[in-house]
Structures are given as structure tokens and as C-alpha cells.
Amino acid sequence: MSQSLARALQILTSLGEGERSLDQLAGELGVHKTTVLRLLRTMEADRFVRRDAAHRYRLGSRLFALADVAREQHVVLQVAAPHLHELNQKTGQTVHLAAWENGEAIYVDKLDSVRSVRMYSQVGAPAALHCTAVGKVLLAAQPKRQRDAVLATLDYKAYTPNTITDPDRLLEELVISKERGWAQDRAEHESFINCIGAPLKDAAGRVVGAVSLSVPDVLLNYEQVLELLPELLATAQAISADYN
């Protein structure tokens, strides 16, 4: 049963990356097509997956409601939501909320810029730990042993020429970010986006999330983005106060 569940979850993860044929899913799972088909039929009956006329599979409508419920049940989001909306309205820029889950920084919420420029980030997807502001905030907050273990296993993918790909340099930036109370992404994840992020803390001082502002350089350069830092820090402080 646990093996079937693991395979079903892997199918959902694969379909989250894009549509798949039965052959593709069988190849990715490394099992016979009949095994995958049996799982797909069960998942299709419960609307977790759907099949089109060309017999290709996609995520099903049942996941829409579950995704909304999962977001609504997230404690950090419940507390942060009104403050994120206010920050988005005040600055007009893209606002992200992220939390640490199973060794990853996961986007919990995203409010798009009032401008026409859109970012690639998605709610429910992981944020790169070495080159996003929220990723750095959350990684810097981890206990030293866990932080160092993550640093030793990171992929350090170079998304842009500015991406930090050296573990020692990243560690240095994490230490600085933690000491000053905010982190930066200077066109490190997307070449035209600058970002600043701040931690959200509970009553015990533990970091429970991170909030960020992301701005295309066609709207504001890095120095101008830093002028929004007081608004970001005030929002982080207000969320932290309400969380307690």
C-alpha cells in the first residue's frame, strides 16, 4: 500500500511539471504500464488526474479545492494575509510569503505587481535557497548543523551571471543577512528582478516564515528597491506581532 501511495504521489508530482502520456509516466516511475494505468484509473475516478482525447494526463480539478484549503489552513498565511495585501497595495510590487517545509523554502502566497510584469514563481513551489531573498532568510535561520548540511548538498545552479555558486560565499552572505535582519537577491534568480526579504518570527524568536518584495529593474533599480526596505521590515514586524 505504501509503495502504491508513493507512486501515486510521484505521478502527481510529474503531472505538476506538465502533461504526460502513460508511457512517459511508466518510464519515470520505472514500472510496467499496467501498474501505472491501475493507479491512474483510481486517481481519474476521484478527479485527481484527468485524461484528454489524446490520452495524455494532467492534474485534475479535485486538486483546486485541496490547494485552496491547504493555503487557508497555513497558520503563517492566515496571520500574514492582510499585511501582505497592504504591502502590495502600498508599494505596487510583487509580494511573496514563504515558509520552511522539509528542508525547503516553499512559496505559500504571492501577490502580483499592479504592473504588467509577472514573475515565474508559483505558490506551492520551492524557492531556490541560494539565490532568492526568502530562501536566504529561511536558510540563514536554520540551526548551524542543518544549515551547513544544506549548504553541502545544494545544487548551486547558476540561474543568472549574478547567482552565488560558491558555498563559502553563500555562507558569508547568510551570516550577514541574519545579522542585519534581511536578505537580498540582486538579479540572482531572474536577471531582471531585484528582491529583498525579511524574516517573520514567533513569540520565542523562531523564524516561521519570510516575506519579500520583488521588483523588475525596468521599474526600479536595486538602490530604489532598497528604499522600500522600511515598508518591508514594518510589514514583517507587524506580522510577527500578530503571530504572537
Side-chain angles (χ1 to χ4, degrees):
M1 181 61 70
S2 61
Q3 188 177 56
S4 296
L5 176 59
R7 287 171 177 165
L9 293 174
Q10 188 174 346
I11 288 173
L12 292 177
T13 300
S14 294
L15 295 181
E17 299 173 354
E19 64 177 31
R20 297 285 196 276
S21 67
L22 176 60
D23 288 339
Q24 287 175 314
L25 288 170
E28 291 179 8
L29 269 66
V31 298
H32 196 274
K33 288 191 294 185
T34 56
T35 299
V36 180
L37 184 59
R38 184 168 60 251
L39 292 170
L40 286 169
R41 283 174 174 169
T42 300
M43 298 167 74
E44 187 176 8
D46 288 330
R47 295 187 291 108
F48 285 101
V49 302
R50 61 186 177 89
R51 179 181 46 160
D52 63 20
H55 298 284
R56 297 185 68 81
Y57 292 87
R58 296 178 172 86
L59 294 177
S61 59
R62 183 75 176 273
L63 295 171
F64 297 163
L66 289 177
D68 287 340
V69 171
R71 291 180 64 251
E72 291 171 1
Q73 290 180 347
H74 204 294
V75 176
V76 176
L77 176 57
Q78 289 178 354
V79 175
H83 299 287
L84 301 179
H85 180 75
E86 184 177 358
L87 181 63
N88 176 251
Q89 292 299 304
K90 279 185 177 180
T91 65
Q93 307 303 336
T94 300
V95 176
H96 287 107
L97 174 68
W100 187 262
E101 295 183 12
N102 299 320
E104 293 185 304
I106 303 297
Y107 288 117
V108 178
D109 200 12
K110 175 185 179 182
L111 284 72
D112 282 313
S113 166
V114 297
R115 309 321 197 274
S116 59
V117 181
R118 294 291 181 266
M119 295 183 61
Y120 299 126
S121 53
Q122 294 182 327
V123 173
L129 294 175
H130 64 300
C131 58
T132 63
V134 291
K136 292 176 186 177
V137 166
L138 294 171
L139 181 54
Q142 301 312 304
K144 182 179 183 300
R145 171 181 280 184
Q146 185 173 355
R147 180 202 65 193
D148 292 346
V150 172
L151 288 173
T153 57
L154 275 181
D155 183 20
Y156 292 99
K157 176 181 177 180
Y159 291 89
T160 76
N162 292 339
T163 303
I164 297 175
T165 57
D166 177 71
D168 292 334
R169 185 181 164 202
L170 178 59
L171 176 58
E172 181 180 352
E173 177 150 345
L174 292 177
V175 171
I176 293 173
S177 298
K178 186 175 183 179
E179 289 177 347
R180 72 186 175 191
W182 60 276
Q184 65 181 6
D185 159 13
R186 297 191 66 174
E188 298 167 42
H189 188 247
E190 297 180 51
S191 59
F192 59 97
I193 298 287
N194 289 304
C195 184
I196 49 176
L200 310 177
K201 299 180 180 181
D202 64 12
R206 294 183 295 258
V207 174
V208 295
V211 60
S212 69
L213 280 172
S214 302
V215 189
D217 57 14
V218 295
L219 298 179
L220 300 175
N221 60 34
Y222 177 71
E223 287 70 26
Q224 291 171 315
V225 172
L226 287 183
E227 294 177 6
L228 300 176
L229 187 57
E231 293 281 4
L232 175 69
L233 295 177
T235 297
Q237 184 176 7
I239 295 172
S240 298
D242 282 357
Y243 193 88
N244 300 328

